[in-house]
Amino acid sequence: MTDEQAHAVELDPAECWELLASVPVGRVAWTTSAGPAVVPVNHVVDAQTVRFRTAAYAALAQKVDAERVAFEADAIDPASRTGWSVVARGRAEVRYDGGRDGAVPLPEPWAAGSRHTVVVVHVDEITGRRLQHG
Amino acid sequence: MTDEQAHAVELDPAECWELLASVPVGRVAWTTSAGPAVVPVNHVVDAQTVRFRTAAYAALAQKVDAERVAFEADAIDPASRTGWSVVARGRAEVRYDGGRDGAVPLPEPWAAGSRHTVVVVHVDEITGRRLQHG
C-alpha cells in the first residue's frame, strides 16, 4: 500500500474501446421504477457496440430494450491504487434471436440456464480514466 | 479456461455484507436525465450503509442526494468462471461535512483533489450470487 495519491488522466475514445475489449467482464447499469440497477455480465465489444447475453425472463431483458444503459469496466489494483475505468453509454437493443447478425462474436454464457437473449448496446458516449502516480 | 458452465447460488444478506466489506472498490450506479451512470469508487461498509467519498462538484454528489442508487461489487475469476457479485440498493445521502458522525471509518481518497464530500447509502435491499461449478 502507498499513501501517495494518484492522479486521474482522461483517456481518449480509442483507448477506452481498447481497454473495454481487453477484459471479459463489465457491469451494466439500467433504470427501474425502484431506482437504478446494476449487474456484472461477460461481454464482447464490436463496432461501437457492447454485447452480452441474458435470460429472456431476466429483469434486465424486460426493462432495457430501447432504453439507455451504462456499461462499466475497470481494472484497479488496490495495493498500488492504480488502474483504469471505462464507462460506455448508449441505447440498448434486446435481440431475442440470439443477435446473430453475421460474423459478430458473442460472449459465451458462463452461468447455466437458457441465455439466448442478447443485449446490444449502441454506444454514443465513452469515457475513461487512468489512475496513476507521478 | 473451462467449458463447464457455472451455477449461480443466491447468497443471504449476511454473506452479501461480508463480501461487500471484503473488497476496497465497488461501483455506484445512479440515474441522470441522460440515463443511468456508473463509476467505480473505493468504499467502506458500516451498519447497513455503504460509504464513499466524492468531490462536491462531481455530477455524482450533485445528483444523488436523497435519490436511490445501486452499489455493486464483485470478484470474478475469468479463467475458472467462478466468483461472486453483490448489489446493494438504497437511498443516498450526501454529507458535505465529510460525514464524520463519530467513529465511523471512511475510505481514504485515492485520487488527488478535494474529496471532502461523503455519500452514505442507506441500504434497504442487498442481494448476491456466487458462481461455482458442480
Side-chain angles (χ1 to χ4, degrees):
Chain A
M1 296 289 279
T2 171
D3 284 337
E4 191 193 349
Q5 286 194 324
H7 293 268
V9 177
E10 299 294 319
L11 301 172
D12 66 39
E15 290 174 300
C16 290
W17 280 111
E18 194 174 317
L19 290 167
L20 196 56
S22 73
V23 290
V25 176
R27 297 96 196 161
V28 59
W30 71 102
T31 300
T32 78
S33 57
V38 55
V39 295
V41 293
N42 60 312
H43 68 284
V44 295
V45 162
D46 182 79
Q48 315 284 305
T49 68
V50 176
R51 294 165 185 241
F52 53 88
R53 290 177 191 270
T54 186
Y57 54 80
L60 180 55
Q62 292 171 3
K63 291 290 183 187
V64 301
D65 194 29
E67 300 291 332
R68 288 189 70 79
V69 302
F71 192 88
E72 188 269 356
D74 60 56
I76 296 169
D77 173 27
S80 66
R81 299 182 177 183
T82 57
W84 58 266
S85 65
V86 167
V87 177
R89 298 170 82 189
R91 186 179 55 80
E93 175 195 1
V94 177
R95 294 191 186 170
Y96 291 98
D97 61 355
R100 300 197 172 281
D101 53 355
V104 173
L106 284 173
E108 278 183 69
W110 285 9
S114 179
R115 290 171 189 271
H116 297 302
T117 306
V118 172
V119 179
V120 180
V121 182
H122 300 275
V123 176
D124 54 39
E125 177 192 327
I126 189 165
T127 58
R129 307 194 321 160
R130 188 182 296 278
L131 214 56
Q132 61 191 29
H133 294 288
Chain B
M1 297 291 280
T2 168
D3 284 338
E4 190 193 348
Q5 285 192 326
H7 294 269
V9 177
E10 299 293 320
L11 301 173
D12 66 40
E15 291 174 300
C16 290
W17 280 111
E18 193 174 318
L19 290 167
L20 196 55
S22 74
V23 291
V25 177
R27 296 96 197 162
V28 57
W30 72 102
T31 301
T32 78
S33 57
V38 55
V39 295
V41 292
N42 60 311
H43 69 284
V44 295
V45 162
D46 181 80
Q48 315 284 305
T49 67
V50 176
R51 294 166 185 240
F52 53 89
R53 291 177 190 269
T54 185
Y57 53 80
L60 179 55
Q62 292 171 3
K63 291 290 182 188
V64 301
D65 193 30
E67 300 292 331
R68 288 189 70 79
V69 302
F71 192 88
E72 189 267 356
D74 60 55
I76 296 169
D77 174 27
S80 65
R81 300 181 176 185
T82 58
W84 58 266
S85 65
V86 167
V87 177
R89 297 170 84 188
R91 184 180 55 81
E93 174 195 2
V94 177
R95 295 193 186 168
Y96 291 98
D97 61 355
R100 299 196 174 282
D101 54 353
V104 172
L106 285 172
E108 278 185 69
W110 285 9
S114 180
R115 288 171 191 271
H116 297 301
T117 306
V118 172
V119 179
V120 179
V121 182
H122 299 275
V123 175
D124 54 38
E125 178 192 326
I126 190 164
T127 58
R129 306 194 322 158
R130 189 182 296 279
L131 214 57
Q132 61 191 31
H133 294 289

